[in-house]
């Protein structure tokens, strides 16, 4: 098999599924999906690894499938990092520009971004991303690239994303024990945004809501940059559980019913429509009206979007989401989800499917693949902190920061 060269591989280890996507960089710099592998995920709870063995087994399976389809040997992956240990906060860095020099050079930009790093990190916590939002040169605000400008004082606002070192290390251990090396680690919200959001939405202000199995991840973008991230511990599993309890049916049956008939809004239904459901401990099937499913699922969807709304209000970003909401993740596939979001927020909402890629798009054209596709798109733009290689020291930190900057603004 050909060795991985002009290929970029994304590994999304989710709570319900593990997904490997192989992208090939074409000569025209477009990205084609040439391989996909998926496997059920049994070693995670709410986005965090709780069993190394089960996770490694799932990664191997998904990887073998993707390798076979792509006809390459995978050696390096961009991995998505998620879970409620992730913290995001905004920080500011300020530096002076010498009177002699006056003009702002790339080195100054590296220095000011380094100045935005938090002074001390809590124990068991590490930086995943430092994402510049905007620069200020003397009194001029909202500058995207200050290179070549003249001024005496340079400021940057940056979004800092941190996570628990233990949680991150556990997922990286799974990667290494599968025989893979790390190309980069990427916050899942950032990866998702790469795949699902347009530049206009990011510019105008948008809330990206990823309804996974165990969690719902929120990211707020405005003026082209990430400003806020949050995780709500409710996801597709809660909807499945509600069906299992409400219809007294086993979880695997409830999951199948949800995927086939799941709907959160009565206006989509024919009042007479029925479906079959099995009982717990009994093979006998009953006929259940679909309206009953809406009665079970609608309150959960309303509760979820009310929690998302509260979180966005609390963080002070309600006023910036002018482009509305983009909803992604497998949980967004319940019929009527966008309407429930629109009712809660009184703003437009759409489903976020992966965009801007070629190749096997039919296979991955679902909100459930947004993170995996986003990982390869993100990898291509090299906007990643290659935190696991051995080179250390300030110089290295500066080079990484430069990479962020180059990727974001040039
Ligand atoms: N057609 C569908 N209709 C309704 N729900 C669906 C459908 N397909 C998948 N889901 C639900 O989506 C959830 C999985 O979504 P996704 O694949 O985005 O999660 P994940 O990445 O594995 O988990 P997480 O992001 O929480 O770690 C499951 O709860 C599943 O039941
Ligand atoms: Mg996910």
């Amino acid at each position: 098999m050909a060795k991985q060269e002009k290929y970029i591989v994304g590994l999304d280890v989710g709570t319900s599924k593990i997904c490997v996507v192989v992208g090939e960089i074409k000569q025209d710099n477009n990205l084609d999906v040439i391989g996909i592998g998926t496997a059920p995920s049994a070693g995670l709870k709410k986005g965090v690894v709780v069993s190394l063995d089960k996770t490694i087994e799932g990664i191997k399976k998904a990887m073998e499938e993707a390798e076979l389809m792509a006809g390459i040997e995978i050696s390096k992956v961009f991995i998505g990092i998620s879970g409620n240990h992730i913290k995001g906060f905004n920080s500011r860095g300020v530096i002076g520009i010498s009177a002699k020099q006056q003009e702002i050079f790339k080195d100054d930009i590296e220095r000011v971004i380094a100045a935005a790093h938090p002074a001390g990190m809590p124990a068991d916590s590490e930086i995943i991303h430092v994402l510049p939002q905007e620069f200020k040169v003397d009194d001029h605000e909202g500058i995207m690239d200050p290179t070549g400008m003249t001024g005496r004082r340079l400021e940057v606002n940056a979004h800092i994303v941190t996570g628990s070192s233990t949680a991150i290390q556990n997922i990286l251990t799974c990667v290494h024990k599968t025989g893979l090396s790390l190309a980069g680690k990427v916050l899942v919200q950032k990866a998702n945004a790469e795949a699902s959001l347009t530049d206009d939405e990011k510019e105008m202000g948008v809330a990206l809501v990823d309804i996974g199995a165990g969690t719902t991840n929120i990211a707020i973008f405005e003026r082209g940059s990430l400003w806020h991230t949050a995780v709500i511990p409710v996801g597709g599993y809660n909807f499945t559980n509600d069906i299992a309890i409400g219809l007294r049916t086993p979880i695997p049956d409830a999951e199948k019913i949800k995927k086939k008939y799941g709907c959160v809004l009565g206006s989509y239904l024919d009042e007479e429509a029925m479906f079959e459901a099995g009982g717990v401990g009994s093979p006998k099937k009953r006929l259940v009206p679909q309206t009953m499913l809406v009665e079970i699922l609608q309150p959960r969807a309303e509760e979820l979007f009310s929690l998302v709304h509260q979180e966005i209000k609390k963080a002070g970003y309600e006023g910036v989401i002018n482009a509305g909401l983009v909803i992604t993740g497998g949980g967004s596939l319940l019929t009527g989800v966008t309407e429930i979001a629109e009712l809660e927020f009184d703003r437009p909402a759409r489903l976020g499917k992966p965009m801007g890629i070629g190749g096997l798009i039919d296979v991955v054209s679902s909100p459930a693949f947004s993170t995996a596709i986003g990982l390869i798109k993100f990898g291509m733009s090299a906007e990643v902190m290659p935190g696991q290689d051995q080179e250390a020291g300030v110089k290295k930190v500066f080079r990484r920061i430069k990479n962020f900057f180059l990727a974001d603004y040039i």
Side-chain angles (χ1 to χ4, degrees), residues 8-13 19 78-81 184-188 191-192 194-195 370-380:
I8 295 190
V9 183
L11 171 60
D12 173 25
V13 182
C19 180
F78 285 94
I79 177 111
I81 306 286
K185 47 190 194 304
V186 188
L187 177 72
V188 291
N192 234 315
E194 288 289 323
S370 293
T371 304
I373 296 296
L375 286 170
I376 58 171
K377 289 190 77 181
F378 193 82
M380 195 168 149

Side-chain angles (χ1 to χ4, degrees), residues 323-334:
L325 293 94
V326 174
I327 306 162
T328 179
S332 70
L333 290 167
L334 284 169

Side-chain angles (χ1 to χ4, degrees), residues 12 14-17 47 210-215 236-237 240 255 258-259 329-331 333-334 368:
D12 173 25
T15 307
S16 74
K17 66 165 191 332
D210 168 15
I211 310 174
T215 55
Y237 274 167
T240 305
E255 178 74 12
K258 180 181 80 171
K259 287 184 177 163
L333 290 167
L334 284 169

